[in-house]
Amino acid sequence: MPFNGLGLSESIVKAIQELGFTKPTPVQEKTIPLILKGKDIIASAQTGTGKTAAFGLPTLDRLKPGKRIQCLILEPTRELAQQVEEALQDYSKHMDTRVGVVYGGVKYGRQRQMLEKGVDILVATPGRLIDYISQGVISLKKVEVLILDEVDRMLDMGFLPDVSRLIKMCPENRQTLFFSATLPAAIQTMMKWVLKDPEVIEIGRNHVAATTVTHAFYPVAEQQKYNLLIELLTRTHFESVLIFTRTKVNADLISRRLERLNHSVATLHSDRSQGERTAALKGFKSGKFEVLVATDIAARGLDIAGVTHVINYDVPLNAEDYVHRIGRTGRAEKEGDAFTLVTEAEVKNAKSIEHYIGQKIDRTKLEGFDYMYSALFDAEEKQAQRKASSRMYGRLRR
Ligand code: ADP
Ligand code: MG
């Protein structure tokens, strides 16, 4: 089905065609007609499947510009807030609707001016939004559409109290939309008091990793992790690579080392100033930096076009975070590779990832790399032998 079969107005269809979207993604096809009808929705679909346009397009379509906050979109991180605002600016470029964004970590001046001028749609992170409300700069009394994006992440980050407060400040008579990559139990509890008779749309299984990504585990001894990373970087033809570390300290360390090897590197984690975070992301998106080293703050929802490789320097503790990390590549049906370095201490977490995504990930040895002995290889070897002999045994029995 083409976009103009969904009931969207011409000015929006034109804008999205200019963006090169030819047909709606599954989550868009299911949710757009319902949202246009004013239904409450709870939608889950894997990361990178176009949820922003799924809620953004029909909402833009329904609002009549009036310079009061008619639509509030809550986002868990500053980067996501920026990204969603930019997308809405693109979608609405042939309309008079005004879109604004507020988030913490930057000065109040410009945001306050924008709010005083008036916006129709406000994208916000919870903390800074509450600031403006308590200062009396804005109110949520005219909100007709309330959108909670990346709800699972919002709950993970402990935003439930703030978000609940904000929901209660919106009029009861409103449309409410929940969008999320997964639907953990906590969302279901919230659904009951926040949404009215919602339609639940679930696209795909909850846990699946993007199908356009190839995965590989690289077993390695702890002391050789860094050298293996460098080898991987040297040998792989990547256009842009995102490296995830578990800690901020490791992120800084790797960035500095890569810089010394003349890679163009940016770093993204929560101890960096907002200015630095924005510059890192912008530079990485524009191609100024070929490598971005980040902690999990960058893992959820960020849409970075053309990430060809994700390298997990550390195995994430949460299997779910793995899905989000590698979701930064292979977006919008492009291909991507995800490499994960696995030390002995991390084997358990690596296995729980395989269990979570329901897929075995190949253990890979980098040809010609001068591996130190690691007990991990014995374990893998034994496992392979056991498997081979049980296959034999099976055959003999038959
Ligand atoms: P999600 O929120 O589901 O993780 P996003 O909304 O960030 O995904 O969208 C992922 C990428 O897909 C974005 O670059 C977006 O511009 C692109 N995209 C969205 N809808 C379409 C479509 N119908 N056709 C092509 N690309 C699309
Ligand atoms: Mg999203």
Side-chain angles (χ1 to χ4, degrees):
M1 188 200 281
F3 265 108
N4 46 24
L6 296 175
L8 291 166
S9 63
E10 231 168 81
S11 50
I12 290 201
V13 174
K14 188 167 166 229
I16 51 187
Q17 276 167 351
E18 286 168 11
L19 288 174
F21 298 6
T22 48
K23 61 180 188 355
T25 64
V27 69
Q28 291 165 359
E29 195 174 322
K30 284 260 162 55
T31 55
I32 290 174
L34 292 167
I35 298 173
L36 284 173
K37 272 193 228 153
K39 289 282 305 175
D40 277 11
I41 293 263
I42 170 149
S44 74
Q46 79 184 43
T47 184
T49 54
K51 294 191 286 294
T52 314
F55 61 73
L57 302 176
T59 302
L60 278 166
D61 204 309
R62 293 190 72 212
L63 298 182
K64 308 253 171 323
K67 292 193 198 165
R68 55 194 146 75
I69 303 167
Q70 306 169 63
C71 171
L72 174 65
I73 303 174
L74 293 179
E75 295 288 339
T77 66
R78 300 162 185 176
E79 282 78 9
L80 278 166
Q82 289 172 333
Q83 178 181 304
V84 167
E85 188 240 1
E86 277 164 26
L88 294 177
Q89 298 289 7
D90 287 342
Y91 306 154
S92 63
K93 69 174 183 209
H94 301 301
M95 308 173 92
D96 297 325
T97 317
R98 294 164 80 126
V99 183
V101 62
V102 297
Y103 49 82
V106 291
K107 293 208 182 86
Y108 287 79
R110 282 235 300 266
Q111 292 183 357
R112 189 190 272 267
Q113 268 171 21
M114 174 273 296
L115 293 173
E116 279 161 0
K117 272 203 216 145
V119 290
D120 299 295
I121 299 183
L122 183 63
V123 186
T125 52
R128 182 58 69 99
L129 179 63
I130 289 177
D131 271 4
Y132 286 118
I133 297 171
S134 12
Q135 292 168 20
V137 182
I138 48 170
S139 103
L140 302 181
K141 294 213 174 75
K142 302 278 190 227
V143 169
E144 292 166 29
V145 186
L146 171 64
I147 302 172
L148 266 64
D149 190 21
E150 310 278 344
V151 193
D152 49 0
R153 178 65 162 163
M154 199 97 81
L155 297 176
D156 278 0
M157 290 176 61
F159 277 132
L160 184 58
D162 281 352
V163 170
S164 301
R165 244 177 97 190
L166 288 166
I167 293 172
K168 285 174 194 151
M169 289 180 205
C170 296
E172 273 196 30
N173 189 11
R174 56 158 202 264
Q175 182 181 29
T176 312
L177 312 173
F178 276 21
F179 278 78
S180 194
T182 59
L183 295 181
I187 296 188
Q188 326 232 349
T189 321
M190 216 175 146
M191 276 167 65
K192 295 204 180 91
W193 68 272
V194 184
L195 296 135
K196 274 195 237 50
D197 187 24
E199 292 271 351
V200 182
I201 312 282
E202 274 184 271
I203 307 286
R205 256 180 53 219
N206 250 335
H207 292 175
V208 276
T211 46
T212 44
V213 176
T214 342
H215 314 250
F217 279 166
Y218 284 88
V220 64
E222 179 68 45
Q223 306 90 301
Q224 285 197 301
K225 252 186 161 178
Y226 175 70
N227 289 342
L228 183 63
L229 172 74
I230 299 301
E231 272 303 303
L232 278 170
L233 286 175
T234 319
R235 297 231 214 135
T236 319
H237 292 279
F238 59 82
E239 284 151 41
S240 67
V241 57
L242 188 49
I243 300 175
F244 281 107
T245 62
R246 206 180 299 160
T247 63
K248 300 169 203 168
V249 176
N250 256 354
D252 284 332
L253 209 73
I254 288 173
S255 288
R256 272 201 305 273
R257 287 169 149 188
L258 291 179
E259 261 164 18
R260 261 182 258 133
L261 295 176
N262 290 324
H263 285 286
S264 57
V265 190
T267 321
L268 187 67
H269 60 62
S270 59
D271 275 357
R272 309 208 74 205
S273 73
Q274 192 51 40
E276 289 170 328
R277 281 162 65 166
T278 307
L281 203 57
K282 217 169 157 187
F284 185 60
K285 282 185 177 173
S286 71
K288 181 173 159 208
F289 304 114
E290 53 180 12
V291 183
L292 178 67
V293 186
T295 56
D296 282 297
I297 192 172
R300 299 253 185 152
L302 288 184
D303 179 44
I304 306 169
V307 175
T308 52
H309 294 78
V310 169
I311 300 181
N312 295 308
Y313 187 75
D314 302 305
V315 179
L317 293 178
N318 264 316
E320 203 182 325
D321 285 336
Y322 178 82
V323 174
H324 286 289
R325 285 182 178 189
I326 64 159
R328 299 313 106 217
T329 184
R331 287 173 84 71
E333 295 173 8
K334 292 206 176 68
E335 305 281 312
D337 284 314
F339 300 152
T340 303
L341 307 193
V342 183
T343 62
E344 279 175 65
E346 293 172 315
V347 170
K348 237 177 99 185
N349 289 324
K351 285 193 175 145
S352 73
I353 289 170
E354 292 180 309
H355 182 72
Y356 186 80
I357 65 173
Q359 185 182 330
K360 178 97 180 134
I361 299 177
D362 279 338
R363 273 65 174 162
T364 313
K365 260 189 173 177
L366 192 64
E367 213 47 55
F369 179 73
D370 190 15
Y371 280 99
M372 265 168 70
Y373 169 78
S374 157
L376 197 60
F377 298 141
D378 291 351
E380 296 287 330
E381 196 99 314
K382 262 191 216 132
Q383 206 180 8
Q385 277 168 7
R386 262 204 307 277
K387 259 203 206 137
S389 69
S390 73
R391 268 201 301 273
M392 278 285 262
Y393 183 62
R395 241 178 266 141
L396 286 176
R397 273 204 309 201
R398 256 183 269 134

